[in-house]
Amino acid sequence: MYALERIAKDSLRDRQTILDVLAAYLRHVSPYNEGLRYERPPDPLPVDIAASALVMARISRLTSPDHAIDLSLTRLPNANMSGANFTNAVVVAADLRGANLAGISAALMRCSATLLRDTNLSHASLVGVQLRLCDATGAKFAGADLRDADLRSCVLTSADLSDSNLTNANLEGCDLQNAKLARARLTNAHLEEIRYSRSTVWPEGFTPPDSAVFVGE
């Protein structure tokens, strides 16, 4: 894996091919074919899988990928892919619980029906990202750029969205119980039929819309 990283650093021509090979390897050796069912915390990642995810992330930072990285149906809990360039990536029905995705560049990433429990997406660039039907319970989005993001029916219970930019984002049907949205920007955000609780932290002066559902504690 590290030899491939050295080649990718030296050869722009081979870089995309190496990214595709690493993504295909991860889809093959870490399949997640159980839908969204999970009953226990994820096991530690095997060394080869963890190294592949890390190397892929580091190579992606060198240049914008020519086409989408596909990590659909992969199982990569607790993987370290911080700072990766996942622009236009496809991450459908994957398990990324506890993964470190802090500071990733992932504009227009399609990440629907994915497990993002306790995932670190702090200060990530997620403009136009699709996070529909994701379970992001306890996820960290502090300082993330979520402008124009599609978060419909996303579970954001206890998620940290402090200082995030949710301008024009669609949060229709989201579960925001116990979520932290202090200082978040919600200009023109769609918040129809969201669920919230007494401990949900809103930006100063913000009032939930009439269609919002208060869940008692």
Side-chain angles (χ1 to χ4, degrees):
M1 302 306 171
Y2 297 112
L4 287 173
E5 182 178 15
R6 288 196 298 272
I7 294 171
K9 287 180 178 179
D10 296 334
S11 175
L12 175 62
R13 182 184 64 181
D14 296 319
R15 196 170 293 161
Q16 182 66 53
T17 299
I18 291 171
L19 283 173
D20 292 340
V21 167
L22 288 170
Y25 176 74
L26 289 171
R27 291 195 304 271
H28 177 68
V29 299
S30 61
Y32 185 64
N33 297 316
E34 302 174 7
L36 291 179
R37 294 178 295 173
Y38 51 93
E39 298 168 356
R40 60 184 175 84
D43 297 324
L45 276 179
V47 173
D48 59 330
I49 297 176
S52 298
L54 177 62
V55 167
M56 183 183 63
R58 292 201 298 224
I59 293 173
S60 73
R61 300 174 200 164
L62 301 176
T63 186
S64 182
D66 294 334
H67 54 265
I69 294 173
D70 187 357
L71 291 174
S72 298
L73 293 172
T74 54
R75 186 177 181 276
L76 298 170
N78 302 317
N80 182 5
M81 295 182 281
S82 62
N85 187 344
F86 284 162
T87 302
N88 290 313
V90 182
V91 193
V92 176
D95 181 355
L96 294 173
R97 284 177 287 170
N100 182 6
L101 301 176
I104 65 169
S105 298
L108 302 176
M109 178 174 67
R110 287 172 285 166
C111 191
S112 57
T114 287
L115 290 176
L116 295 169
R117 285 192 163 212
D118 301 313
T119 301
N120 185 1
L121 287 149
S122 300
H123 303 288
S125 177
L126 301 168
V127 177
V129 71
Q130 295 182 29
L131 292 173
R132 291 188 64 182
L133 300 170
C134 289
D135 184 349
T137 300
K140 300 176 180 65
F141 292 93
D145 189 349
L146 286 155
R147 287 174 294 163
D148 301 308
D150 186 351
L151 296 154
R152 281 177 287 175
S153 301
C154 188
V155 179
L156 292 164
T157 304
S158 301
D160 185 0
L161 291 139
S162 304
D163 300 294
S164 62
N165 188 348
L166 289 158
T167 300
N168 296 321
N170 191 341
L171 290 90
E172 182 180 343
C174 281
D175 191 336
L176 291 164
Q177 295 181 68
N178 307 318
K180 300 175 183 177
L181 292 104
R183 299 173 303 280
R185 279 172 276 179
L186 293 167
T187 306
N188 296 325
H190 299 276
L191 296 158
E192 294 81 6
E193 299 180 2
I194 58 170
R195 294 164 59 87
Y196 70 101
S197 60
R198 186 175 291 106
S199 54
T200 301
V201 180
W202 298 106
E204 185 176 354
F206 177 82
T207 301
D210 293 338
S211 64
V213 177
F214 174 76
V215 180
E217 298 175 324

